[in-house]
Amino acid sequence: MSCCTPASDGRGLCHPSSAPGLLTIGPPPGPYRPTPARRETRGQVLLPGGTFAMGDGFGEGYAADGEGPVHPVRLDPYLIDATTVTNAAFAAFVKDTGYETEAERLGVSAVFHLAVRAEPSDIVGEAAGTPWWLVVRGASWRHPAGPLSSVGALRNHPVVQVSWNDAQAYCAWAGKRLPTEAEWEFAARGGLAGRRFPWGDELKPRGRWNCNIWQGTFPTRNTAEDGHENTAPAKSYRPNGYGLWNTVGNVWEWCADTFAADTYAARAGDLPVHDPRGPSHDPDPDARRVMRGGSFLCHNSYCYRYRVAARSGNTARSAAANVGFRCANDAA
Protein backbone atom coordinates (compact mmCIF):
# COMPACT_ATOMS: atom_id res chain seq x y z
CA MET A 1 0.00 0.00 0.00
CA SER A 2 1.33 3.39 -0.89
CA CYS A 3 2.31 5.66 1.95
CA CYS A 4 1.05 8.51 -0.22
CA THR A 5 -2.56 7.53 0.30
CA PRO A 6 -4.21 6.05 3.37
CA ALA A 7 -4.32 2.30 3.68
CA SER A 8 -7.67 0.61 3.27
CA ASP A 9 -8.89 -1.75 5.97
CA GLY A 10 -10.02 -4.31 3.42
CA ARG A 11 -13.60 -3.08 3.21
CA GLY A 12 -12.91 -0.06 1.07
CA LEU A 13 -12.60 3.47 2.36
CA CYS A 14 -10.46 4.11 5.40
CA HIS A 15 -12.29 3.92 8.68
CA PRO A 16 -11.73 2.31 12.08
CA SER A 17 -12.96 -1.26 12.13
CA SER A 18 -14.95 -0.57 15.28
CA ALA A 19 -17.07 2.17 13.68
CA PRO A 20 -20.68 0.97 13.90
CA GLY A 21 -22.84 0.88 10.81
CA LEU A 22 -20.03 1.78 8.40
CA LEU A 23 -18.99 -1.61 7.14
CA THR A 24 -21.07 -2.20 4.02
CA ILE A 25 -21.25 -0.28 0.77
CA GLY A 26 -23.92 -1.42 -1.62
CA PRO A 27 -25.23 -0.04 -4.91
CA PRO A 28 -26.05 3.67 -4.95
CA PRO A 29 -29.46 4.12 -3.30
CA GLY A 30 -32.22 6.55 -4.18
CA PRO A 31 -32.51 8.54 -7.37
CA TYR A 32 -29.25 7.62 -9.17
CA ARG A 33 -30.18 7.29 -12.83
CA PRO A 34 -27.33 6.13 -15.07
CA THR A 35 -27.78 7.41 -18.60
CA PRO A 36 -27.16 5.35 -21.73
CA ALA A 37 -23.52 5.32 -22.74
CA ARG A 38 -22.62 7.79 -25.45
CA ARG A 39 -19.20 8.64 -26.76
CA GLU A 40 -18.08 12.16 -25.89
CA THR A 41 -14.70 13.63 -26.80
CA ARG A 42 -14.95 17.23 -25.62
CA GLY A 43 -11.90 18.26 -23.62
CA GLN A 44 -9.85 15.36 -24.96
CA VAL A 45 -6.57 15.30 -26.85
CA LEU A 46 -5.97 12.82 -29.67
CA LEU A 47 -2.69 10.96 -29.15
CA PRO A 48 -0.99 9.17 -32.03
CA GLY A 49 -0.07 6.02 -30.18
CA GLY A 50 3.11 4.19 -31.08
CA THR A 51 5.79 2.25 -29.23
CA PHE A 52 7.39 3.55 -26.05
CA ALA A 53 9.56 2.24 -23.20
CA MET A 54 7.31 1.74 -20.18
CA GLY A 55 8.76 1.67 -16.66
CA ASP A 56 11.54 3.11 -14.53
CA GLY A 57 14.83 3.36 -16.39
CA PHE A 58 16.67 5.05 -13.50
CA GLY A 59 16.35 2.38 -10.81
CA GLU A 60 14.52 4.87 -8.58
CA GLY A 61 11.26 3.00 -8.06
CA TYR A 62 10.10 1.14 -4.97
CA ALA A 63 10.40 -2.64 -5.21
CA ALA A 64 6.87 -3.18 -3.93
CA ASP A 65 5.48 -0.98 -6.72
CA GLY A 66 6.91 -3.06 -9.57
CA GLU A 67 8.14 -0.24 -11.83
CA GLY A 68 10.39 -2.59 -13.79
CA PRO A 69 11.62 -4.06 -15.92
CA VAL A 70 11.42 -1.41 -18.63
CA HIS A 71 9.66 -2.97 -21.60
CA PRO A 72 8.34 -1.83 -24.98
CA VAL A 73 4.62 -1.21 -25.26
CA ARG A 74 2.75 -0.40 -28.47
CA LEU A 75 -0.45 1.63 -28.29
CA ASP A 76 -3.10 2.35 -30.86
CA PRO A 77 -4.22 5.99 -31.19
CA TYR A 78 -6.57 7.12 -28.42
CA LEU A 79 -7.99 10.19 -26.75
CA ILE A 80 -7.39 11.42 -23.20
CA ASP A 81 -8.62 14.38 -21.17
CA ALA A 82 -6.31 17.37 -21.13
CA THR A 83 -7.03 17.79 -17.40
CA THR A 84 -8.28 15.81 -14.47
CA VAL A 85 -12.04 15.88 -13.95
CA THR A 86 -12.91 19.05 -12.04
CA ASN A 87 -15.35 19.68 -9.23
CA ALA A 88 -17.56 21.58 -11.68
CA ALA A 89 -17.71 18.64 -14.08
CA PHE A 90 -18.39 16.15 -11.31
CA ALA A 91 -21.12 18.40 -9.91
CA ALA A 92 -22.84 18.33 -13.31
CA PHE A 93 -22.76 14.53 -13.23
CA VAL A 94 -24.25 14.42 -9.73
CA LYS A 95 -26.94 16.96 -10.60
CA ASP A 96 -27.95 15.00 -13.68
CA THR A 97 -27.98 11.53 -12.08
CA GLY A 98 -28.44 11.93 -8.33
CA TYR A 99 -25.31 9.84 -7.79
CA GLU A 100 -23.92 9.49 -4.27
CA THR A 101 -20.22 8.70 -3.94
CA GLU A 102 -19.00 5.87 -1.78
CA ALA A 103 -17.53 8.30 0.75
CA GLU A 104 -20.92 9.98 1.09
CA ARG A 105 -22.67 6.67 1.62
CA LEU A 106 -20.04 5.43 4.06
CA GLY A 107 -20.12 8.71 5.98
CA VAL A 108 -16.36 9.09 6.49
CA SER A 109 -13.23 9.53 4.42
CA ALA A 110 -9.53 10.31 4.76
CA VAL A 111 -8.16 13.85 5.11
CA PHE A 112 -4.53 14.92 5.60
CA HIS A 113 -4.09 16.07 9.20
CA LEU A 114 -2.96 19.63 8.40
CA ALA A 115 -5.89 20.20 6.05
CA VAL A 116 -8.79 19.01 8.20
CA ARG A 117 -11.74 21.38 8.49
CA ALA A 118 -14.03 19.70 10.98
CA GLU A 119 -15.15 19.79 14.59
CA PRO A 120 -13.05 17.56 16.88
CA SER A 121 -16.07 15.30 17.35
CA ASP A 122 -16.04 14.55 13.60
CA ILE A 123 -12.47 13.22 13.66
CA VAL A 124 -13.06 9.50 14.09
CA GLY A 125 -9.43 8.39 14.27
CA GLU A 126 -6.23 7.81 12.32
CA ALA A 127 -5.95 5.76 9.16
CA ALA A 128 -4.15 2.50 9.81
CA GLY A 129 -0.40 2.78 9.33
CA THR A 130 -0.47 6.42 8.20
CA PRO A 131 -1.07 8.68 11.22
CA TRP A 132 -0.92 11.83 9.09
CA TRP A 133 -4.23 10.73 7.56
CA LEU A 134 -7.30 11.28 9.72
CA VAL A 135 -10.65 9.57 9.25
CA VAL A 136 -13.16 12.41 9.18
CA ARG A 137 -16.93 12.14 9.40
CA GLY A 138 -18.61 14.10 6.61
CA ALA A 139 -15.56 14.30 4.33
CA SER A 140 -16.60 13.80 0.71
CA TRP A 141 -16.13 15.33 -2.72
CA ARG A 142 -18.41 18.21 -1.65
CA HIS A 143 -16.45 18.68 1.58
CA PRO A 144 -12.96 17.39 0.74
CA ALA A 145 -11.30 18.50 3.99
CA GLY A 146 -14.27 17.75 6.23
CA PRO A 147 -17.77 19.14 6.85
CA LEU A 148 -16.48 22.68 7.47
CA SER A 149 -14.90 22.78 3.99
CA SER A 150 -16.51 23.32 0.61
CA VAL A 151 -15.72 23.11 -3.10
CA GLY A 152 -17.50 26.42 -3.71
CA ALA A 153 -14.25 28.21 -4.53
CA LEU A 154 -12.65 25.11 -6.07
CA ARG A 155 -14.79 24.57 -9.16
CA ASN A 156 -11.73 24.40 -11.43
CA HIS A 157 -9.75 22.13 -9.06
CA PRO A 158 -9.64 18.35 -9.48
CA VAL A 159 -12.46 16.48 -7.82
CA VAL A 160 -11.14 14.35 -4.96
CA GLN A 161 -12.62 11.97 -2.41
CA VAL A 162 -13.75 9.78 -5.30
CA SER A 163 -13.21 6.03 -5.43
CA TRP A 164 -12.34 3.99 -8.50
CA ASN A 165 -15.98 2.92 -8.61
CA ASP A 166 -17.11 6.56 -8.48
CA ALA A 167 -14.76 7.34 -11.36
CA GLN A 168 -16.23 4.47 -13.37
CA ALA A 169 -19.75 5.80 -12.77
CA TYR A 170 -18.74 9.26 -13.98
CA CYS A 171 -17.07 7.82 -17.08
CA ALA A 172 -20.20 5.84 -17.99
CA TRP A 173 -22.28 9.01 -17.72
CA ALA A 174 -19.77 11.13 -19.64
CA GLY A 175 -19.36 8.71 -22.56
CA LYS A 176 -15.73 8.10 -21.71
CA ARG A 177 -13.65 5.53 -19.83
CA LEU A 178 -10.66 5.40 -17.53
CA PRO A 179 -7.28 5.24 -19.26
CA THR A 180 -5.28 2.07 -19.05
CA GLU A 181 -2.05 2.32 -17.12
CA ALA A 182 -0.04 2.15 -20.35
CA GLU A 183 -2.14 4.89 -21.94
CA TRP A 184 -1.68 7.04 -18.85
CA GLU A 185 2.12 6.73 -18.86
CA PHE A 186 2.44 7.34 -22.60
CA ALA A 187 0.29 10.46 -22.27
CA ALA A 188 2.06 11.69 -19.14
CA ARG A 189 5.45 11.53 -20.85
CA GLY A 190 4.28 14.06 -23.41
CA GLY A 191 6.45 12.62 -26.16
CA LEU A 192 9.70 12.64 -24.14
CA ALA A 193 11.32 9.21 -24.15
CA GLY A 194 12.81 7.80 -20.96
CA ARG A 195 12.63 10.94 -18.83
CA ARG A 196 11.79 11.23 -15.14
CA PHE A 197 9.20 13.95 -15.49
CA PRO A 198 6.91 15.24 -18.25
CA TRP A 199 9.36 18.11 -18.87
CA GLY A 200 12.72 16.31 -18.54
CA ASP A 201 15.00 14.93 -15.84
CA GLU A 202 15.44 17.96 -13.56
CA LEU A 203 12.75 18.61 -10.97
CA LYS A 204 13.18 22.38 -11.14
CA PRO A 205 14.70 23.44 -14.46
CA ARG A 206 15.89 27.04 -14.24
CA GLY A 207 14.66 27.07 -10.64
CA ARG A 208 10.99 26.85 -11.67
CA TRP A 209 8.42 24.55 -10.12
CA ASN A 210 6.48 22.57 -12.72
CA CYS A 211 4.23 20.53 -10.45
CA ASN A 212 2.34 20.63 -7.17
CA ILE A 213 4.15 18.47 -4.60
CA TRP A 214 5.25 18.83 -0.97
CA GLN A 215 8.06 21.20 -0.01
CA GLY A 216 9.45 21.35 3.51
CA THR A 217 9.45 18.58 6.09
CA PHE A 218 6.85 15.88 5.65
CA PRO A 219 4.36 15.56 7.33
CA THR A 220 4.62 18.56 9.62
CA ARG A 221 5.61 21.61 7.55
CA ASN A 222 4.75 22.48 3.96
CA THR A 223 6.43 25.66 2.74
CA ALA A 224 4.25 25.65 -0.42
CA GLU A 225 7.09 26.99 -2.57
CA ASP A 226 5.21 25.74 -5.64
CA GLY A 227 2.31 28.04 -4.75
CA HIS A 228 -0.12 25.46 -3.33
CA GLU A 229 -0.58 23.74 0.02
CA ASN A 230 -3.40 21.52 -1.18
CA THR A 231 -4.81 20.95 -4.66
CA ALA A 232 -4.05 23.38 -7.47
CA PRO A 233 -6.43 24.25 -10.32
CA ALA A 234 -6.55 21.55 -12.97
CA LYS A 235 -4.80 23.90 -15.42
CA SER A 236 -1.77 24.90 -13.37
CA TYR A 237 1.88 25.24 -14.42
CA ARG A 238 2.55 24.32 -18.05
CA PRO A 239 1.07 21.47 -20.08
CA ASN A 240 3.35 18.73 -21.34
CA GLY A 241 4.27 18.15 -24.96
CA TYR A 242 0.89 16.58 -25.70
CA GLY A 243 -1.04 19.44 -24.13
CA LEU A 244 -1.92 17.60 -20.91
CA TRP A 245 -1.91 19.45 -17.58
CA ASN A 246 -0.61 18.23 -14.22
CA THR A 247 0.13 14.64 -15.12
CA VAL A 248 2.41 14.44 -12.09
CA GLY A 249 1.71 15.94 -8.69
CA ASN A 250 -1.56 17.59 -7.63
CA VAL A 251 -3.72 14.43 -7.35
CA TRP A 252 -3.29 10.74 -7.91
CA GLU A 253 -5.23 9.50 -10.92
CA TRP A 254 -7.16 6.24 -11.11
CA CYS A 255 -6.47 3.95 -14.08
CA ALA A 256 -8.56 1.03 -15.37
CA ASP A 257 -6.06 -1.70 -14.53
CA THR A 258 -5.93 -4.01 -11.54
CA PHE A 259 -2.71 -3.36 -9.62
CA ALA A 260 -0.04 -6.05 -9.16
CA ALA A 261 3.64 -5.62 -8.38
CA ASP A 262 4.61 -8.27 -10.95
CA THR A 263 2.62 -6.85 -13.88
CA TYR A 264 5.69 -5.81 -15.85
CA ALA A 265 7.72 -8.91 -14.98
CA ALA A 266 4.89 -11.09 -16.27
CA ARG A 267 4.96 -9.45 -19.70
CA ALA A 268 7.27 -12.00 -21.25
CA GLY A 269 7.19 -13.43 -24.74
CA ASP A 270 6.39 -11.40 -27.79
CA LEU A 271 7.43 -7.79 -27.37
CA PRO A 272 6.37 -5.08 -27.68
CA VAL A 273 3.19 -5.71 -25.72
CA HIS A 274 0.27 -4.40 -27.76
CA ASP A 275 -2.18 -2.13 -25.98
CA PRO A 276 -2.17 -3.90 -22.59
CA ARG A 277 -5.45 -3.45 -20.72
CA GLY A 278 -6.41 -4.30 -17.21
CA PRO A 279 -10.02 -5.33 -16.57
CA SER A 280 -12.45 -2.46 -16.14
CA HIS A 281 -14.49 -4.54 -13.71
CA ASP A 282 -13.44 -7.20 -11.19
CA PRO A 283 -15.67 -9.52 -9.16
CA ASP A 284 -13.57 -8.78 -6.08
CA PRO A 285 -14.81 -5.42 -4.70
CA ASP A 286 -11.57 -5.00 -2.79
CA ALA A 287 -9.23 -5.59 -5.73
CA ARG A 288 -6.48 -2.99 -5.86
CA ARG A 289 -6.57 -0.62 -8.80
CA VAL A 290 -3.71 1.32 -10.34
CA MET A 291 -3.12 4.96 -9.36
CA ARG A 292 -0.65 7.15 -11.22
CA GLY A 293 1.03 10.54 -10.99
CA GLY A 294 1.55 11.19 -7.28
CA SER A 295 -0.04 14.12 -5.49
CA PHE A 296 0.48 17.39 -3.64
CA LEU A 297 1.55 15.31 -0.63
CA CYS A 298 4.45 13.54 -2.36
CA HIS A 299 7.98 14.30 -1.14
CA ASN A 300 11.18 12.48 -2.04
CA SER A 301 11.89 11.75 1.63
CA TYR A 302 9.09 9.19 1.74
CA CYS A 303 7.13 9.08 -1.53
CA TYR A 304 9.15 9.71 -4.66
CA ARG A 305 6.17 8.89 -6.84
CA TYR A 306 5.76 12.10 -8.83
CA ARG A 307 7.78 10.55 -11.67
CA VAL A 308 6.04 9.43 -14.86
CA ALA A 309 7.11 5.81 -14.29
CA ALA A 310 5.87 5.65 -10.69
CA ARG A 311 2.86 3.50 -9.88
CA SER A 312 0.81 2.58 -6.86
CA GLY A 313 -2.60 1.17 -6.04
CA ASN A 314 -5.51 1.15 -3.65
CA THR A 315 -8.78 -0.73 -3.36
CA ALA A 316 -11.58 0.19 -5.75
CA ARG A 317 -13.75 1.52 -2.92
CA SER A 318 -11.07 3.72 -1.33
CA ALA A 319 -11.16 7.51 -1.45
CA ALA A 320 -8.97 10.28 -0.08
CA ALA A 321 -8.38 14.02 -0.35
CA ASN A 322 -5.54 13.58 -2.87
CA VAL A 323 -7.06 11.11 -5.35
CA GLY A 324 -8.93 12.04 -8.54
CA PHE A 325 -8.98 10.90 -12.18
CA ARG A 326 -9.03 11.87 -15.84
CA CYS A 327 -10.89 10.12 -18.65
CA ALA A 328 -9.89 8.53 -21.95
CA ASN A 329 -11.61 7.25 -25.07
CA ASP A 330 -10.92 5.08 -28.08
CA ALA A 331 -9.84 7.10 -31.10
CA ALA A 332 -12.91 6.00 -33.03
Side-chain angles (χ1 to χ4, degrees):
M1 186 63 61
S2 167
C3 55
C4 301
T5 53
S8 165
D9 67 358
R11 283 179 291 268
L13 287 87
C14 303
H15 58 81
S17 59
S18 60
L22 300 178
L23 305 185
T24 302
I25 304 176
Y32 173 50
R33 302 177 301 277
T35 54
R38 65 196 188 285
R39 186 169 178 272
E40 176 57 67
T41 63
R42 283 181 297 180
Q44 297 195 311
V45 176
L46 176 63
L47 299 188
T51 301
F52 78 107
M54 186 172 183
D56 168 33
F58 296 90
E60 297 171 332
Y62 299 94
D65 292 347
E67 292 184 28
V70 176
H71 58 287
V73 168
R74 179 166 58 88
L75 296 177
D76 296 330
Y78 64 100
L79 295 125
I80 191 165
D81 287 356
T83 72
T84 50
V85 174
T86 63
N87 285 307
F90 200 80
F93 158 60
V94 170
K95 182 178 180 181
D96 188 49
T97 62
Y99 184 81
E100 283 189 291
T101 62
E102 294 193 292
E104 289 173 296
R105 284 180 275 140
L106 186 60
V108 296
S109 198
V111 181
F112 186 68
H113 72 117
L114 296 183
V116 171
R117 299 294 180 267
E119 299 291 347
S121 59
D122 285 326
I123 300 175
V124 178
E126 296 177 352
T130 50
W132 47 86
W133 283 103
L134 299 179
V135 182
V136 179
R137 185 179 293 111
S140 70
W141 78 271
R142 300 177 189 271
H143 308 285
L148 300 182
S149 67
S150 169
V151 294
L154 305 175
R155 288 178 55 80
N156 62 344
H157 284 233
V159 65
V160 295
Q161 298 290 11
V162 286
S163 69
W164 184 88
N165 292 323
D166 297 331
Q168 291 280 57
Y170 174 92
C171 287
W173 170 82
K176 301 179 180 181
R177 60 173 173 81
L178 287 176
T180 66
E181 182 175 17
E183 288 173 337
W184 188 96
E185 184 171 325
F186 180 87
R189 290 186 177 278
L192 295 182
R195 299 299 184 92
R196 285 187 178 90
F197 309 113
W199 54 85
D201 290 333
E202 289 184 64
L203 179 59
K204 291 176 61 181
R206 296 179 296 281
R208 184 184 66 230
W209 285 104
N210 290 305
C211 62
N212 179 19
I213 58 175
W214 185 281
Q215 294 91 44
T217 305
F218 188 88
T220 57
R221 186 177 68 93
N222 185 356
T223 59
E225 295 169 23
D226 57 25
H228 304 280
E229 283 191 80
N230 298 301
T231 60
K235 286 188 175 181
S236 296
Y237 309 101
R238 295 182 179 182
N240 70 9
Y242 288 147
L244 275 60
W245 304 78
N246 291 336
T247 54
V248 298
N250 214 23
V251 296
W252 284 98
E253 300 180 23
W254 289 113
C255 293
D257 308 54
T258 298
F259 178 88
D262 64 351
T263 295
Y264 295 0
R267 290 176 181 169
D270 293 336
L271 294 174
V273 179
H274 178 221
D275 205 17
R277 293 175 180 263
S280 59
H281 295 283
D282 193 295
D284 179 5
D286 294 317
R288 293 177 69 191
R289 302 293 178 170
V290 171
M291 302 188 307
R292 284 300 205 112
S295 81
F296 62 90
L297 294 177
C298 282
H299 186 270
N300 62 6
S301 66
Y302 85 105
C303 183
Y304 188 34
R305 292 183 175 91
Y306 45 90
R307 297 166 290 107
V308 288
R311 60 197 302 264
S312 189
N314 210 338
T315 61
R317 296 187 292 179
S318 294
N322 66 338
V323 181
F325 65 103
R326 77 178 70 212
C327 305
N329 235 322
D330 296 342

